[in-house]
Each structure stands twice: as C-alpha cells, then as structure tokens.
Amino acid sequence: TLGFGMTTPATVAGKVFLIVYGLFGCAGTILFFNLFLERIISLLAFIMKACHERQLRRSGLLPPNFRRGPAVAGVGSLVGWKPSVYHVMLILGIFAITLSCCASAMYTAVEGWNYVDSLYYCFVTFSTIGFGDLVSSQNAAYQNQGLYRFGNFIFILMGVCCIYSLFNVISIVIKQVLNWVLKKFECRCCPKCHKSSARLGRRNAITPGARLRRHNISMDADGQYDSDTEGRRLSGEMISMRELTASNKVSLAILQKQLSETANGYPRNVCINTRQNGFSAGVGALAIMNNRLAETSDSR
C-alpha cells in the first residue's frame, strides 16, 4: 500500500494479475500487521508488568521470593493490572523515532539525501502515504547493492509495522479524548434534558436490574413490598407473572392452587364483594391477577 508508482504493469495481463494478486496480497499484509500489533502489545504488556512487579518489590509491597503463578491472585496490587495505553503509545513512539533515525542515517549515506529529507521519506514510506517524490533504490548501481536492498526491505517492513501499531494506539487515545470532551459538553445544569431523555424509553420495557433496584429501595424504606404500587404499577402498564410473584411474595404452590381452582370452577371468596372488571371469569394468569387485585382492594 505504499504506492510509489515507479514500477507499474504495462500489459493487460499484468494489470489483471495485479488486481487479483492485490486482493489477497493486501488482505494478507493487513493480517500480518494485525498479528504484529497483537504480539508487540503482548510483549510490551509482559515487560511493563515485570517492571511493575520489580517496582512493587522495591517498595516492599511484594515479598522478595515472589513468583508468578497462582500467588498473583493473592496480591492486591497485581489483580487485574493492565498497562496504560499512554505508556504503550510512548514506547511505540520512541521505537518508531529510533527506527526512523537509523533508517535516515542509512539513506543519507547511500542515497545522498540530507537528513531532514531522509526523515521525511521515512515517515511518508512507513505511514504508507507514498507520494513518490523520494524513492530509494532507484540508482543504477550502489556499493554493496544487495546488502543495501536487504536493509531497505527490513527498515520499510519494520517501520510500517511499527507506525501501523502506533496509529492504532493513537486512535484509541483520540477516542478516549473525544469521549471525555463529549462528557464535558453534556447539559448537566438543565434537569429537563434528563427528564425528556428518560421519557423517550419504552414504557412497558423493563431494564435489567430495575426490579432488583426497586426491591432494594422498598426493603430499605419499610421492610416490605407495597403490593398496591408494585402489583398494579402505573396505569396502562402490563405486569408479568414473574414480577407478580416477586412483588406480592406469592409462592408457586399458592399460584398453582389458585390456577387449579379457577380452571375447575371452584368458588372464590375474594371476589364475592368485589366489582366485576372484565377479568373475573378468566382462566390462568388473568384470573390470578384479578384475585390479587381483589385482595388488595379488600385490604384497602
């Protein structure tokens, strides 16, 4: 993906071959870059964790005879420890600068460019921009030409891999900075914005953990559930059997008994003095819900 354009196919067959080969070649190259990124990040994490353990030993937080293994779980300072993305970015940046400086020294000595142009060529090449204004290995003859071309190949390969990894880490940092900026620009002084955003949710949708939070709040408030507010909920909202059981503390055996009595036509004492609401003759979950609503009406 450098695209210097100094050597290009001239025939139709060469251009077709380039298209077919480029599909698999570029895909394989991107896969190679991703694998390189994974390995270099794993290596940096291993080295940084070893340095972190050494620092903990010096500070006295780790015993001198500490070894990696199951004992790591017992050390609070190492549980879930991960290297900072900023440290990884700093290390990759130093490595990229060092590699570019070494490559520039070689290009300055062999190609005859000045050092600034050599640094410029390294960045354009390693970042795969490939303007083509400066291209290496274009002279007819070089001293130690084979060795120079091999060194050029190694520098370009390592430089592209390093810059690719650095760009990925920088993108993570940019994303974190943008998220931080967006949080700073949130409207915290206007409660109407939060109320309007809360009203946009689905009315009958139950968010994970909402029932548990209501359970904890109710238990902290009066030590028991309010069957009228928890069983009936808001006007027009539906209630599931699972929440009905949890809100009114009705055991499964009692629900099965009520379901059997409703299906077999046994009289229900709770509905004698209650107002018919359209569900009194139901069977199953509707009848059970009607019984519970009748009990709460009688208790009131």
Side-chain angles (χ1 to χ4, degrees), residues 137-170:
S137 300
Q138 294 300 307
N139 295 336
Y142 291 95
Q143 186 177 3
N144 300 322
Q145 185 171 357
L147 182 61
Y148 169 66
R149 289 185 175 178
F150 177 76
N152 189 23
F153 166 77
I154 294 298
F155 274 122
I156 292 178
L157 179 63
M158 296 300 297
V160 172
C161 290
C162 186
I163 295 297
Y164 176 83
S165 303
L166 182 61
F167 284 168
N168 279 273
V169 177
I170 291 176

Side-chain angles (χ1 to χ4, degrees), residues 106-265:
M106 183 188 70
Y107 294 135
T108 301
V110 178
E111 297 289 346
W113 304 331
N114 58 54
Y115 198 77
V116 176
D117 289 341
S118 298
L119 285 174
Y120 163 77
Y121 167 78
C122 289
F123 177 78
V124 171
T125 303
F126 296 166
S127 60
T128 68
I129 296 175
F131 285 135
D133 51 348
L134 293 176
V135 182
S136 61
S137 300
Q138 294 300 307
N139 295 336
Y142 291 95
Q143 186 177 3
N144 300 322
Q145 185 171 357
L147 182 61
Y148 169 66
R149 289 185 175 178
F150 177 76
N152 189 23
F153 166 77
I154 294 298
F155 274 122
I156 292 178
L157 179 63
M158 296 300 297
V160 172
C161 290
C162 186
I163 295 297
Y164 176 83
S165 303
L166 182 61
F167 284 168
N168 279 273
V169 177
I170 291 176
S171 65
I172 297 175
V173 175
I174 293 176
K175 182 179 179 181
Q176 292 180 353
V177 172
L178 290 178
N179 290 334
W180 179 79
V181 172
L182 290 177
K183 288 181 180 179
K184 289 296 182 180
F185 278 100
E186 285 181 356
C187 183
R188 298 180 180 178
C189 59
C190 182
K192 295 182 180 180
C193 299
H194 299 282
K195 291 182 180 180
S196 61
S197 61
R199 293 175 182 174
L200 293 177
R202 294 175 56 190
R203 186 173 185 178
N204 293 332
I206 301 174
T207 58
R211 182 168 58 85
L212 182 59
R213 288 193 296 269
R214 289 195 299 271
H215 170 73
N216 295 334
I217 295 175
S218 178
M219 291 298 291
D220 294 338
D222 53 5
Q224 61 182 0
Y225 282 93
D226 187 1
S227 60
D228 182 67
T229 58
E230 192 68 18
R232 297 193 184 191
R233 292 191 161 210
L234 298 176
S235 175
E237 290 198 16
M238 301 185 67
I239 185 171
S240 63
M241 284 299 301
R242 184 175 180 181
E243 290 194 343
L244 179 64
T245 305
S247 62
N248 294 282
K249 294 186 177 179
V250 181
S251 64
L252 183 61
I254 297 177
L255 290 178
Q256 292 177 347
K257 181 179 179 181
Q258 291 180 353
L259 180 61
S260 176
E261 290 177 355
T262 304
N264 294 328

Side-chain angles (χ1 to χ4, degrees), residues 1-73:
T1 59
L2 298 181
F4 283 141
M6 306 306 295
T7 302
T8 59
T11 62
V12 176
K15 295 177 181 178
V16 173
F17 173 78
L18 175 64
I19 294 174
V20 176
Y21 180 80
L23 291 175
F24 298 96
C26 292
T29 304
I30 294 175
L31 177 61
F32 175 78
F33 290 159
N34 290 328
L35 293 176
F36 179 86
L37 175 62
E38 292 179 4
R39 299 301 183 270
I40 196 66
I41 294 299
S42 301
L43 178 61
L44 291 177
F46 177 80
I47 296 176
M48 294 173 66
K49 187 172 184 180
C51 296
H52 181 66
E53 292 178 4
R54 185 177 180 181
Q55 184 178 4
L56 291 178
R57 284 195 188 96
R58 290 182 176 180
S59 59
L61 299 178
L62 282 181
N65 57 351
F66 173 76
R67 294 292 183 272
R68 295 185 184 90
V72 176

